[in-house]
Amino acid sequence: MCGIFCLLSLSAAPSERDRTVHEHLKRRGPDSSRDVTVQGPNLGCRCLFSAHVLHMRGRLTQQPLQDGLGNLLAWNGEVFGGLPLTTEDNDTSVVSERLSSCNDPSDVLSVLSSLRGPWAFVYYQKDGDFLWFGRDFFGRRSLLWRFDAEFDALTLTSVAAQTSEAVNSAWREVPAAGVFRIDLKAFTETGSLTFELYPWAHTEDDVLSTCSETLVPIGCTAVINQSGLFLTSPVSRLNTSLPKSTNDTETCSNSHLSVEDLQQLLEGKEKDDEVSALIDVLSEAVRQRVQFLPFREKEEDSPPTPERATVAVLFSGGIDSMILAALADRHIPAHQPIDLLNVAFKLHEPKTQKQSVKKPKKHKNKPSNSNTDRAADSKTFNPFDVPDRITGKAGLKELRDLNPDRKWNFVEVNVTQEELQRLRRERVCHLVHPLETVLDDSIGCAVWFAARGTGVIMKEEEEEEEEKSFTSTAKVILTGIGADEQLAGYSRHRVRFKTSGHEGLIQELVMELGRISSRNLGRDDRVIGDHGKEARFPYLDEDVVNYLNALPVWEKADLSLPRGVGEKLLLRLTAKRLGLGPSAVLPKRAMQFGSRIAKMEDGHEKASDKCSRLLTG
C-alpha cells in the first residue's frame, strides 16, 4: 500500500505540496519515500510525482517507479489475482512491467481489466505524453482530485487536508467509474483540462452521470473516449430472477430462531452445497489477504514473538467479523497471534440517587445486547461496557472454543470524549474529508481508533486476569464491509422488502454495491491507512462477489424470517458450519451504535446531516 500524489501544472505554476497532506501521505507509507518530476523538452507542463510505500509484497520497491522507457507509475494497490505473481514478486514492479509493454489504450485497459484486488494509480505514459489514473471497480483505495484554476494545476492524492481556505471545498473523490486519461500536450496548448473516461462495462448507460458536475473538479470536463473502449468488469451482474410464488411482504416477527434452527435449515442438500461453496471462495479470499506478509526491513533482525501479530480484525463479535476471524485462523501459522480490535467510547455513569430504592433485576440466563444491567449498579458499572464490547467478549469465547491453542489478542480500545475531540480535530477530520456527514464522522472516528490498535488486553497471571497496555503490530486489518451490502444486512433492506418484495430488494442491493466506493471505501482506506496499515476487504473479493451475484436473492437472505436470522441468512448458515455458536444469530448493529460513539454527541442529529465537528481542522 502507498500514499500517492501527483501535481500536474503548467510550468509557471508552483509545485509545493500542502504540508499537512504530505504528513498524511508519509504516515500511509512509512517504509520508503521518493519524489520524481516529469518535464520533457516537448512538454510545456510538468508532473510532480510523490509516493510513500508501506512494504507489503515481495522486495521493497521504491515509488514512483520509473522504467527504462521513461514511463512512471505511482501504485496504491494489491494484486491478488489476474497476473502471475510469486511470493517474491512485488506487484508494483509486475504492473509497471505490463504497462510498459502497452502500445495503445486498449492494451492499457487489458492490463487493468485483468487485475484482481484493490488499486488506485497514477501513470505517466511517455509515448504520447498521457497521464492515466483511476480506482478499481469497487473503489477500495482512495484517490482524490482538485483543480486550481488560478495556476491551472490538477492535484491527485490518496488523502487531502481540511483547511479554512476556499479552494478546500473543491476536493472530491475520483469516481470509481473507470479510468481517466489526460492528453498532456493538449493541456499545454489550451490550458484547459479534459478527462477521457474509459468506463467499466456493466455500468449504467449514462456513465457520465457518475462523473457529473458534483464530482468532476470545477473548471474541468469529462468525456467518454471517442473510440468506445471500456474496461472489462471483474464481476458479473446481479442475479435479478424472482421466485415463482412467494408472499413477499409476509414477515414472522414473532418467531425466535436459534442456532439449532439454523442446523435444520442446513439439512437441505441444495442449501448445504451453497454454504460449502461460499466457505471455499471466502476462505480463499481470506488466505490471499493474510499469508506471505513481509516484516519491515528494520524488523528483520528481530524474529516474531508470541505477542506480535501480522493480521488484525476489526472486531465487534458480530457475524461478519466472527467469520473473518474463524477463516483467518485457518491460514495464519499456529504460533502467531491474531489481534481482535474492539473499540468502545466511554459511557456517562448513570445517576445513583434511585439505586437505593430499587435494586436492578438480574437475569442469569438471559443474554443482553445492552449495558443496562451493568449501568444500573454503580459498583459494577464499567464505562466501556458498550454493546460491541459485550458481544466482542462473547465472540472471543467462541473463537477460543473453536481453537484454544491460538493466541487471540482481544484489544480493548477505550476512547474518552476528550481524546475523541482532540484527535478528530488533529487527524480524523482531514482523513474523512471530503465526506462530511454525521455518519462519516461517527464511522470515520470509530474505525480510526480501532485501527490504531492501542488499548489493553487481559493477561492471565496465576488464575487471575491482569490488565496490560497493548498496541497491535498488525499491518493488515481485515474488515467485514461488503457483507451487509450483498446479503441484505441493513434494516433498510427489510423495509424495502416489506414494501416492494423481492423486486424492490434487488433494486436496493444493486444500488448498494454501486455506491459503496463513494459512501464507504475511500473513507475507510484513508482512515486505516493513516496508521501505516492496510485495510483488506475479503467480502469484496471479486470471486466472492461473483459467487454471491450468481445466486438468486432469496437464497442469500430470507427477510420473511425475523431479525438475527433472515438477513444474511446464507452467512449465518456459514457461521454454523464453521462451528460458531450464538454469534450466528446476532442481529445487525451499526458500528456507531455498538461502539456508542453516537452517544458522545448531539442525539438529535440525523446521519445524513452535515457534521460541524468535521469542520474544525
Side-chain angles (χ1 to χ4, degrees):
M1 190 195 77
C2 298
I4 60 176
F5 177 95
C6 177
L7 177 61
L8 166 64
S9 61
L10 296 178
S11 56
S15 60
E16 291 80 12
R17 286 158 291 177
D18 181 280
R19 181 174 297 179
T20 304
V21 172
H22 185 64
E23 290 302 314
H24 288 318
L25 291 168
K26 285 177 62 178
R27 279 195 290 269
R28 288 179 63 88
D31 297 324
S32 171
S33 296
R34 185 185 181 202
D35 293 352
V36 177
T37 300
V38 173
Q39 187 172 20
N42 300 319
L43 200 60
C45 60
R46 66 179 173 183
C47 297
L48 168 64
F49 284 83
S50 182
H52 308 266
V53 177
L54 177 68
H55 179 211
M56 302 296 288
R57 299 286 289 274
R59 292 182 177 274
L60 176 60
T61 301
Q62 276 200 324
Q63 291 198 49
L65 182 59
Q66 192 162 22
D67 65 17
L69 301 175
N71 303 308
L72 202 67
L73 175 64
W75 171 259
N76 175 26
E78 297 286 351
V79 178
F80 293 124
L83 292 181
L85 275 83
T86 68
T87 56
E88 289 78 27
D89 286 332
N90 178 272
D91 57 349
T92 305
S93 299
V94 173
V95 172
S96 174
E97 182 180 339
R98 288 300 183 99
L99 290 174
S100 296
S101 65
C102 295
N103 297 315
D104 53 46
S106 62
D107 292 338
V108 174
L109 300 180
S110 178
V111 171
L112 297 174
S113 295
S114 70
L115 302 179
R116 297 295 178 265
W119 49 264
F121 78 106
V122 184
Y123 181 64
Y124 169 62
Q125 188 178 29
K126 185 174 177 59
D127 184 16
D129 287 317
F130 294 109
L131 189 71
W132 294 81
F133 62 94
R135 303 164 69 191
D136 71 79
F137 185 81
F138 295 117
R140 288 165 288 187
R141 292 289 175 256
S142 170
L143 192 64
L144 309 177
W145 56 5
R146 183 181 73 179
F147 183 70
D148 187 340
E150 181 181 355
F151 297 106
D152 291 324
L154 174 75
T155 303
L156 298 163
T157 179
S158 297
V159 61
Q162 174 78 265
T163 71
S164 57
E165 299 174 10
V167 72
N168 179 69
S169 62
W171 280 116
R172 291 162 185 182
E173 290 187 322
V174 174
V179 295
F180 299 86
R181 189 179 77 159
I182 299 172
D183 185 330
L184 298 179
K185 290 179 181 177
F187 174 51
T188 299
E189 293 170 1
T190 65
S192 62
L193 270 180
T194 298
F195 309 121
E196 266 190 303
L197 173 62
Y198 295 82
W200 292 104
H202 297 172
T203 53
E204 296 297 328
D205 294 334
D206 185 17
V207 70
L208 277 181
S209 65
T210 308
C211 304
S212 65
E213 293 180 359
T214 60
L215 295 177
V216 174
I218 298 171
C220 303
T221 305
V223 297
I224 296 289
N225 73 91
Q226 294 183 353
S227 303
L229 297 174
F230 55 84
L231 292 151
T232 303
S233 173
V235 298
S236 58
R237 291 179 181 272
L238 183 71
N239 185 330
T240 58
S241 60
L242 298 173
K244 294 180 180 179
S245 61
T246 57
N247 187 349
D248 289 347
T249 59
E250 183 179 353
T251 62
C252 305
S253 57
N254 294 324
S255 301
H256 296 283
L257 274 72
S258 65
V259 178
E260 290 71 24
D261 295 315
L262 291 178
Q263 183 62 46
Q264 292 182 7
L265 289 172
L266 268 176
E267 290 177 359
K269 187 178 187 307
E270 184 177 352
K271 185 67 71 177
D272 182 80
D273 291 343
E274 290 170 354
V275 170
S276 297
L278 179 56
I279 290 175
D280 288 344
V281 71
L282 188 55
S283 179
E284 175 61 15
V286 171
R287 185 196 67 80
Q288 291 175 333
R289 286 158 176 80
V290 302
Q291 289 188 348
F292 311 118
L293 303 176
F295 289 96
R296 289 186 178 180
E297 298 283 330
K298 62 184 180 182
E299 295 175 345
E300 285 185 349
D301 294 333
S302 55
T305 69
E307 296 293 327
R308 196 166 108 198
T310 59
V311 175
V313 182
L314 290 185
F315 189 76
S316 66
I319 185 172
D320 305 342
S321 59
M322 286 291 292
I323 285 178
L324 292 184
L327 292 177
D329 178 54
R330 291 184 169 191
H331 302 296
I332 294 174
H335 66 276
Q336 289 184 14
I338 295 176
D339 291 347
L340 308 174
L341 308 179
N342 183 275
V343 65
F345 292 83
K346 188 176 182 180
L347 297 165
H348 296 295
E349 187 165 1
K351 295 180 180 179
T352 59
Q353 288 88 336
K354 297 182 180 181
Q355 290 184 358
S356 60
V357 179
K358 186 177 181 180
K359 292 184 178 180
K361 294 181 180 180
K362 296 182 179 180
H363 303 277
K364 293 182 179 180
N365 299 320
K366 182 180 179 182
S368 174
N369 288 335
S370 72
N371 60 316
T372 307
D373 294 340
R374 293 173 182 264
D377 186 351
S378 61
K379 293 181 181 179
T380 62
F381 173 72
N382 184 330
F384 296 108
D385 267 352
V386 302
D388 277 1
R389 178 62 48 79
I390 295 170
T391 54
K393 288 180 177 179
L396 172 65
K397 183 179 183 303
E398 287 188 43
L399 292 172
R400 284 176 172 167
D401 290 342
L402 198 64
N403 186 355
D405 296 327
R406 168 80 65 188
K407 182 171 177 56
W408 302 94
N409 290 325
F410 184 75
V411 188
E412 300 183 30
V413 179
N414 299 325
V415 186
T416 64
Q417 188 167 28
E418 294 74 22
E419 188 178 25
L420 168 64
Q421 292 173 346
R422 176 175 61 83
L423 287 168
R424 176 198 284 124
R425 182 176 62 251
E426 294 176 2
R427 301 276 282 277
V428 183
C429 71
H430 300 296
L431 305 168
V432 171
H433 188 74
L435 304 187
E436 57 184 5
T437 68
V438 170
L439 182 63
D440 293 316
D441 171 53
S442 296
I443 300 296
C445 289
V447 171
W448 188 88
F449 279 102
R452 185 174 64 164
T454 298
V456 297
I457 59 174
M458 301 306 295
K459 187 176 181 181
E460 295 183 2
E461 295 287 347
E462 297 181 358
E463 298 184 357
E464 291 186 4
E465 286 192 340
E466 178 185 349
E467 195 172 85
K468 174 187 174 183
S469 297
F470 185 88
T471 297
S472 173
T473 58
K475 296 298 180 288
V476 165
I477 297 183
L478 302 180
T479 168
I481 194 166
D484 290 305
E485 288 80 1
Q486 297 180 81
L487 293 153
Y490 292 121
S491 58
R492 59 180 174 268
H493 295 137
R494 190 171 288 274
V495 172
R496 187 67 186 273
F497 175 73
K498 188 173 183 179
T499 58
S500 305
H502 284 102
E503 187 172 2
L505 177 60
I506 289 168
Q507 292 171 358
E508 194 77 16
L509 294 178
V510 169
M511 181 180 67
E512 291 284 4
L513 273 188
R515 67 185 184 182
I516 197 171
S517 63
S518 59
R519 285 174 66 93
N520 304 94
L521 294 172
R523 177 199 65 209
D524 289 357
D525 175 63
R526 294 190 294 274
V527 166
I528 293 174
D530 190 56
H531 301 292
K533 303 179 181 185
E534 182 171 283
R536 294 187 174 177
F537 312 99
Y539 290 109
L540 291 173
D541 176 87
E542 287 85 352
D543 288 340
V544 173
V545 177
N546 275 321
Y547 174 68
L548 292 176
N549 275 1
L551 295 175
V553 66
W554 65 88
E555 297 290 356
K556 296 180 284 190
D558 183 353
L559 299 187
S560 68
L561 296 174
R563 287 186 69 241
V565 178
E567 72 278 14
K568 298 188 288 192
L569 175 61
L570 185 60
L571 204 61
R572 298 183 188 283
L573 295 170
T574 298
K576 175 60 182 173
R577 171 68 60 77
L578 291 173
L580 299 176
S583 60
V585 290
L586 279 178
K588 165 70 179 177
R589 185 171 52 228
M591 188 178 194
Q592 65 270 30
F593 302 120
S595 68
R596 284 298 189 256
I597 188 173
K599 292 288 186 180
M600 283 268 188
E601 311 295 350
D602 182 3
H604 299 290
E605 293 175 320
K606 293 181 180 179
S608 58
D609 288 347
K610 188 172 181 178
C611 183
S612 60
R613 295 182 295 279
L614 291 174
L615 303 175
T616 57

